[in-house]
Amino acid sequence: MATEDTPGGGDESSPFQARSQYDATTADVYQQMIESWIIAPLRVLWDDYRGRIGIIIVTVYVLMGTIGTLFVEVPSFNQGPSLAGPFESMAHPLGTTAYGQDLLGLMVHSTPAMFKMMIAGAIFGNAMGVVVGLVSGYMGGNTDKVLMTITDTMMSIPGLPLLLILAALIEPTNPWLIGIILNIQGWTGLARAIRSQVLPLRKKEYVEASKTIGQPTSSVLTKDVLPEMLPFITMGFMNGATGVIHASVGLYFLGILPFTNQNWGVVLNDAYQDSGALYNLEAAHWLLVPIITITGMTFGLTLLAQAFDQVFNPRVRARHQARKRNEEEENDPRDGDDTGVDSIANQLGD
């Protein structure tokens, strides 16, 4: 809404007379935030074939772990014939185990616990890495030395023995707790990466200006420094989730974590131990189904991590948009079409 009043009755052409072009409502502010922080990144992701494939793959797994559990029967012993092959019947499209359990049901009902572990582990690793990296790089001095000493100490501890000891002592059964334990060292690399970026960033003009006008340290870190770390945070989240998948499957396969029959690693262990699936072709599908399931989830997260580089890296994003614009111009059917010019010329001639 344009304003008609000129304060002080001064000259309207004066450059010091500011006028509001429109009044932005709260809804407009939120709409702009959603557009810039959610819709625009999703468009960039979808324009990249890696992001498109990654979104589709991860969405399939999310639906499998939510809606799928409502439609697929919970696996049980003697649910079907022993070692039925895949696609032999619609009742068991992926086949069955030696115990007659439906492999599709095992994969579907193992997915929710896996997602809980992934989310808990990735959030824990990211939160620790971001806090330690930001504080260490921004504060410097003795704070930096203490935090980096703790980080380097944690990084130097062998990962597998540490997980074995923690799993044996705690014996966790809650998937949220298991995810945190599995990513207990996942924050160290992210903390060092963020610290290395914050060290030069804290001397930037806009950061110095915020400190000069008296902004508290928490405000400077969250508003000026943290947005610059989004590429590292996103990559750290994806890498943390992938690491939790591999660690959980490996420890369940080895029998270190408490037994639950609804886990991809346990299915692998049963196929290897109870039927010799590596050597028995009749049981090969029992081994291949969880392997393909694990590989699919890891592949989707990896593609998403690569595609997020288009969202946060301005140079890569600019090149991508320029390439897309050139392709659209080359494929534009109006290029080289002179019919519009000819019609205008004919009208002028008449």
Side-chain angles (χ1 to χ4, degrees), residues 166-190:
L166 291 176
L169 291 176
I170 301 175
E171 295 184 357
T173 56
N174 189 311
W176 301 103
L177 179 59
I178 293 174
I180 293 175
I181 292 174
L182 293 178
N183 206 27
I184 196 70
Q185 290 180 298
W187 58 272
T188 55
L190 180 62

Side-chain angles (χ1 to χ4, degrees), residues 167-328:
L169 291 176
I170 301 175
E171 295 184 357
T173 56
N174 189 311
W176 301 103
L177 179 59
I178 293 174
I180 293 175
I181 292 174
L182 293 178
N183 206 27
I184 196 70
Q185 290 180 298
W187 58 272
T188 55
L190 180 62
R192 276 219 158 268
I194 289 182
R195 172 186 176 272
S196 66
Q197 296 297 315
V198 174
L199 284 174
L201 195 62
R202 66 180 181 177
K203 299 179 181 179
K204 293 290 185 179
E205 293 81 0
Y206 58 90
V207 177
E208 293 288 348
S210 296
K211 291 190 292 185
T212 302
I213 63 177
Q215 288 289 333
T217 302
S218 59
S219 178
V220 176
L221 288 176
T222 55
K223 295 181 179 180
D224 296 331
V225 180
L226 186 60
E228 300 290 336
M229 301 296 107
L230 286 178
F232 296 93
I233 296 173
T234 305
M235 294 293 293
F237 187 89
M238 298 299 178
N239 292 334
T242 304
V244 169
I245 295 175
H246 296 160
S248 64
V249 169
L251 292 183
Y252 274 114
F253 178 81
L254 295 174
I256 305 300
L257 290 174
F259 176 82
T260 170
N261 118 1
Q262 294 179 9
N263 185 275
W264 300 338
V266 174
V267 176
L268 283 173
N269 182 287
D270 291 341
Y272 175 74
Q273 295 285 352
D274 299 340
S275 68
L278 288 176
Y279 315 102
N280 183 7
L281 290 180
E282 293 183 359
H285 66 281
W286 190 1
L287 192 67
L288 289 175
V289 168
I291 289 177
I292 294 173
T293 304
I294 297 166
T295 304
M297 172 65 85
T298 305
F299 183 61
L301 291 175
T302 302
L303 288 178
L304 272 182
Q306 294 178 350
F308 265 107
D309 193 33
Q310 303 277 358
V311 177
F312 296 117
N313 191 326
R315 294 181 180 178
V316 176
R317 184 171 178 175
R319 287 200 303 268
H320 172 75
Q321 292 177 345
R323 185 170 61 249
K324 181 176 175 58
R325 187 162 52 248
N326 292 335
E327 292 176 354
E328 291 177 351

Side-chain angles (χ1 to χ4, degrees), residues 6 12-13 31 62 76 102 110 134 160 172 190 264 268 318 329:
T6 57
E12 293 185 3
S13 62
Q31 182 178 358
V62 171
S76 60
D102 181 39
S110 298
L134 282 178
L160 182 58
L190 180 62
W264 300 338
L268 283 173
E329 291 176 356

Side-chain angles (χ1 to χ4, degrees), residues 94-207:
L94 299 182
T96 61
T97 69
Y99 312 118
Q101 295 172 295
D102 181 39
L103 278 172
L104 177 61
L106 285 172
M107 297 300 102
V108 169
H109 287 276
S110 298
T111 304
M114 183 61 71
F115 267 113
K116 292 176 183 178
M117 288 187 283
M118 289 164 50
I119 294 172
I123 291 178
F124 169 78
N126 258 29
M128 286 290 295
V130 169
V131 171
V132 173
L134 282 178
V135 174
S136 177
Y138 184 79
M139 299 300 293
N142 291 328
T143 302
D144 181 28
K145 293 178 182 178
V146 171
L147 290 177
M148 283 301 101
T149 300
I150 296 173
T151 302
D152 293 340
T153 302
M154 285 294 299
M155 190 181 296
S156 64
I157 300 175
L160 182 58
L162 178 62
L163 291 179
L164 294 177
I165 293 172
L166 291 176
L169 291 176
I170 301 175
E171 295 184 357
T173 56
N174 189 311
W176 301 103
L177 179 59
I178 293 174
I180 293 175
I181 292 174
L182 293 178
N183 206 27
I184 196 70
Q185 290 180 298
W187 58 272
T188 55
L190 180 62
R192 276 219 158 268
I194 289 182
R195 172 186 176 272
S196 66
Q197 296 297 315
V198 174
L199 284 174
L201 195 62
R202 66 180 181 177
K203 299 179 181 179
K204 293 290 185 179
E205 293 81 0
Y206 58 90
V207 177

